[in-house]
Amino acid sequence: MSRGRQTLGYVVEVDGPSVVVNLNDSVRSHVAGHLEGISSFEQPGDLIAIEAGSETLVAKTLSLSFAEPRELHSQKKIQALAKPPLRQLRCAVIGLLRRDAGSLAFLPQTTRLPALGAQALPLSADELRASLNDSSTDVENRIVVGTEARNASLQVGVRIDPLLSRHVAVLGATGQGKTHFVADILQQLAEKPRARIVIFDVNGEYYPAFKYLGEGVKYTAIGDVPGRNAPSKGASLLKIPYYALGRHGLFRLLLPSEKTQAPALRFATEHLPYVAADALGARPSGTSDNVLFDDCRPGDATAAYRAIRQIESRSVLGTTWPHMKALSCLVADSYAMKLDNRGVQVRDAFAYGHIQSLVNRVNTLINDPRFSAVVNVDGGAPVAGGGLNLNRESNRVVEQIFGTEKYTDGEPRVHVVDLSQLSQDLMPFVLGSLLELFAEALFKRGAGKTHPTVLVLEEAHHYLRQLPGDAESGQHALAYERLSKEGRKFGLSLLVSTQRPSELSPTVLAQCGTWVVFRLTNDVDKRAVTSASESSASSITNELPGLARGEAVAFGAAFQIPVRICRQLLPEDRQPDSLDPPFEEKWT
């Protein structure tokens, strides 16, 4: 093991995986030379080798210190020292190297410990490559995530299955390189001929990174206007029909209270195919005059009562979907009816007060031009080939955005869903509804019945978070949390990217098995990373404020050991539209 390598020192203390190494006097620099070059060993994070019989232990440098008492180094005595002061490395054993069928394999275990007096040496190039997931010699089914930050000749790679079978979190402050890193990873994944990648592109910046794929990339803008980076040909526009959100999506959109509003909204959703409506009111299918309203108007409401009973009987199925006003009218008049002292049906103002906030939310969305730009509130014809059926409408939207249940030969490998037309305040509601819809479809299909899909949630802090009203009823926040907890069994892998991990759902963060963390300085964000990830992350987060731009600390299920990486630079024709503004060029 030691041939061609200068011994660094010897082990003098073993305390579990913590090891203290006395450095030899001959080692006077921060690097050690050997036949294959030089290795750094005295900086925190550097790796060294320790002899352990037929195996080689790998230890990570934690700190460097003098062994002698502090007073020995006072100004008066330091000149009288006969030889240099004794230096010590404090390290932690992180795994071992073992030869298997002629190849060197790294095993991330800490049960094998060195003996006192065992020699410490610099890692050889082969040992370093094996420890750091180097991909330069084995490219089959591996993704290169970058180069080792201190040694640009070492490519750090991961296998696809460990990477995608546990969700991935890409975190970091703005401008640190997250978007380019994600684009690089996805471009490598898209080389697989049967890949299926769906990108929720909040800022409309990803399509330029995948134009080179030609027919292998699909672009869809949510709304009635394409985004700034839409292709000149082949761009699709999708205005989401409100009724296609189904019960689960509408509940996420409207956030009804559990005890009073939820039953009324459930009734309205289930009976929507039997109602006709316009922007003023609603009526049973097959009739011509509006008799259902959402304003709790006074007077005889017998006609409205009879209309509710007719709709409840499901006697006449409509031929077109009603205006979204049907929801508020059904909610109001199905809940607020009562008999007065004359035995006449009237609308009860007291009962109406319980559901008024829900009615107001429906009307606010209908009248919001930013909402109606991305969601169709007018109703319309059903999916071709059938009558009014909520499940059919929902499945159609799921297939348009997330793909069909089975893989189709020649389908695009990357689907960029441009969400830039969606305003930030509506994003949690609309995207939350889409995720509810997708979760419901996945779980209905069953485990293993959906083609493996990577769902990229860019700027996820905008919508993977608790909303006002969620605390009152826990059901509203469950869709994306269920996707993170159970989605892998149904063929789904999440790649979550955000600059504010503290604003994300803690459940989603905790389900991420692989972490790539760029520079973070906010203490709250660093604590969110520490609490959600593995216990070793508490020491890793101390490195985050000092990372250079483009550098990240990568750790978790896909990595054998935590490693500091530098992202790869993308060619100009494969970069996302996420560059710094050219102030000097434009202002001069």
Side-chain angles (χ1 to χ4, degrees):
M1 165 182 162
S2 61
R3 194 181 72 168
R5 281 182 277 179
Q6 178 186 17
T7 303
L8 301 176
Y10 53 94
V11 175
V12 296
E13 182 181 323
V14 179
D15 182 9
S18 299
V19 174
V20 177
V21 174
N22 278 358
L23 292 177
N24 294 336
D25 293 343
S26 58
V27 181
R28 302 304 303 154
S29 65
H30 289 287
V31 294
H34 48 85
L35 289 177
E36 298 177 339
I38 59 174
S39 298
S40 172
F41 66 90
E42 287 189 359
Q43 296 293 317
D46 288 341
L47 302 179
I48 64 170
I50 300 177
E51 288 183 333
S54 61
E55 297 170 336
T56 301
L57 300 182
V58 178
K60 180 180 180 180
T61 300
L62 301 178
S63 65
L64 173 68
S65 62
F66 282 116
E68 292 84 354
R70 183 181 304 174
E71 54 268 19
L72 183 64
H73 304 283
S74 65
Q75 191 65 31
K76 295 180 180 179
K77 295 183 179 181
I78 196 168
Q79 296 177 354
L81 295 177
K83 54 184 179 179
L86 179 63
R87 294 172 300 152
Q88 291 183 326
L89 284 182
R90 296 191 177 274
C91 310
V93 175
I94 58 175
L96 59 88
L97 292 163
R98 180 181 295 164
R99 288 205 173 271
D100 184 13
S103 62
L104 199 59
F106 177 86
L107 304 177
Q109 56 182 259
T110 59
T111 54
R112 183 80 162 89
L113 299 175
L116 290 177
Q119 291 187 3
L121 303 103
L123 286 173
S124 69
D126 286 343
E127 291 169 342
L128 195 56
R129 278 194 291 267
S131 302
L132 296 179
N133 295 48
D134 180 67
S135 293
S136 57
T137 58
D138 178 17
V139 296
E140 181 67 23
N141 290 325
R142 292 178 76 88
I143 300 297
V144 178
V145 298
T147 57
E148 209 277 329
R150 295 188 182 94
N151 189 343
S153 64
L154 287 176
Q155 290 184 335
V156 179
V158 294
R159 295 191 65 84
I160 292 179
D161 278 348
L163 178 69
L164 299 184
S165 62
R166 301 291 184 270
H167 308 308
V168 182
V170 180
L171 315 175
T174 182
Q176 298 304 309
K178 297 188 305 301
T179 303
H180 282 70
F181 174 82
V182 170
D184 181 22
I185 299 302
L186 298 181
Q187 287 170 3
Q188 295 178 67
L189 292 173
E191 293 177 4
K192 297 298 178 182
R194 294 168 62 89
R196 179 183 284 178
I197 301 167
V198 180
I199 305 173
F200 271 20
D201 188 2
V202 170
N203 297 316
E205 56 195 11
Y206 272 96
Y207 181 75
F210 298 97
K211 285 194 299 185
Y212 73 95
L213 290 175
E215 295 183 356
V217 59
K218 175 184 176 182
Y219 172 93
T220 300
I222 301 298
D224 50 14
V225 178
R228 71 181 192 275
N229 285 312
S232 56
K233 294 181 180 180
S236 299
L237 300 179
L238 175 61
K239 240 179 140 173
I240 305 167
Y242 81 90
Y243 45 85
L245 297 176
R247 192 177 95 182
H248 294 277
L250 287 172
F251 266 61
R252 176 63 184 174
L253 181 69
L254 299 172
L255 300 177
S257 63
E258 181 64 19
K259 293 182 179 179
T260 57
Q261 297 175 3
L265 181 58
R266 192 173 296 116
F267 174 88
T269 305
E270 292 174 353
H271 293 88
L272 200 59
Y274 305 91
V275 180
D278 53 36
L280 300 177
R283 57 195 179 276
S285 294
T287 61
S288 57
D289 296 327
N290 290 336
V291 293
L292 301 175
F293 304 96
D294 59 9
D295 54 5
C296 196
R297 58 186 59 185
D300 189 345
T302 302
Y305 176 80
R306 290 173 179 168
I308 291 294
R309 300 287 78 82
Q310 180 180 342
I311 292 168
E312 198 172 25
S313 70
R314 307 186 183 207
S315 56
V316 181
L317 181 67
T319 57
T320 60
W321 289 102
H323 191 280
M324 192 174 174
K325 188 76 168 179
L327 286 178
S328 59
C329 292
L330 282 175
V331 164
D333 278 353
S334 68
Y335 186 84
M337 291 286 182
K338 77 166 188 176
L339 286 172
D340 66 5
N341 53 14
R342 299 170 299 160
V344 177
Q345 289 288 341
V346 295
R347 296 175 174 91
D348 180 25
F350 180 78
Y352 180 77
H354 294 156
I355 48 87
Q356 185 175 9
S357 60
L358 176 59
V359 170
N360 290 341
R361 282 195 290 274
V362 174
N363 287 323
T364 297
L365 292 175
I366 291 174
N367 297 318
D368 187 346
R370 299 170 302 169
F371 179 79
S372 58
V374 296
V375 176
N376 176 16
V377 301
D378 295 326
V383 172
L388 302 189
N389 183 289
L390 285 175
N391 289 334
R392 189 180 295 117
E393 302 289 346
S394 298
N395 289 337
R396 175 60 175 161
V397 171
V398 168
E399 291 178 354
Q400 286 178 295
I401 296 178
F402 302 100
T404 57
E405 181 176 345
K406 302 295 184 182
Y407 177 81
T408 304
D409 288 337
E411 74 172 61
R413 286 163 279 166
V414 178
H415 185 192
V416 178
V417 183
D418 190 336
L419 303 165
S420 57
Q421 194 176 343
L422 187 58
S423 62
Q424 184 174 330
D425 59 329
L426 293 173
M427 199 171 292
F429 301 97
V430 176
L431 296 189
S433 299
L434 286 179
L435 292 177
E436 290 278 356
L437 205 61
F438 185 41
E440 182 68 12
L442 279 183
F443 300 143
K444 277 185 178 178
R445 293 172 184 172
K449 294 184 178 180
T450 298
H451 186 71
T453 302
V454 175
L455 177 57
V456 182
L457 302 177
E458 178 73 10
E459 302 291 354
H461 56 279
H462 287 308
Y463 47 95
L464 296 190
R465 56 185 174 88
Q466 194 175 66
L467 299 173
D470 282 351
E472 185 178 352
S473 173
Q475 63 177 328
H476 303 308
L478 291 182
Y480 53 76
E481 293 182 351
R482 285 190 66 194
L483 286 174
S484 67
K485 289 186 287 188
E486 304 173 36
R488 65 178 185 82
K489 295 182 289 187
F490 297 85
L492 178 69
S493 177
L494 297 179
L495 193 160
V496 180
S497 175
T498 180
Q499 54 189 269
R500 291 308 311 271
S502 60
E503 296 182 7
L504 249 64
S505 162
T507 300
V508 174
L509 274 184
Q511 296 304 314
C512 293
T514 298
W515 299 70
V516 179
V517 189
F518 290 81
R519 188 170 185 264
L520 280 175
T521 57
N522 185 280
D523 288 338
V524 178
D525 289 330
K526 290 192 292 182
R527 283 197 297 271
V529 174
T530 302
S531 61
S533 57
E534 58 194 27
S535 57
S536 63
S538 57
S539 60
I540 293 172
T541 51
N542 294 329
E543 302 179 37
L544 301 181
L547 294 177
R549 189 178 189 186
E551 287 188 356
V553 177
F555 58 96
F559 294 91
Q560 297 172 151
I561 60 173
V563 56
R564 187 166 173 172
I565 63 172
C566 184
R567 71 170 180 85
Q568 302 181 110
L569 296 178
L570 295 173
E572 288 190 12
D573 61 340
R574 296 193 180 189
Q575 293 184 4
D577 185 14
S578 179
L579 301 175
D580 292 335
F583 287 105
E584 294 182 359
E585 175 187 341
K586 298 297 184 181
W587 285 8
T588 302

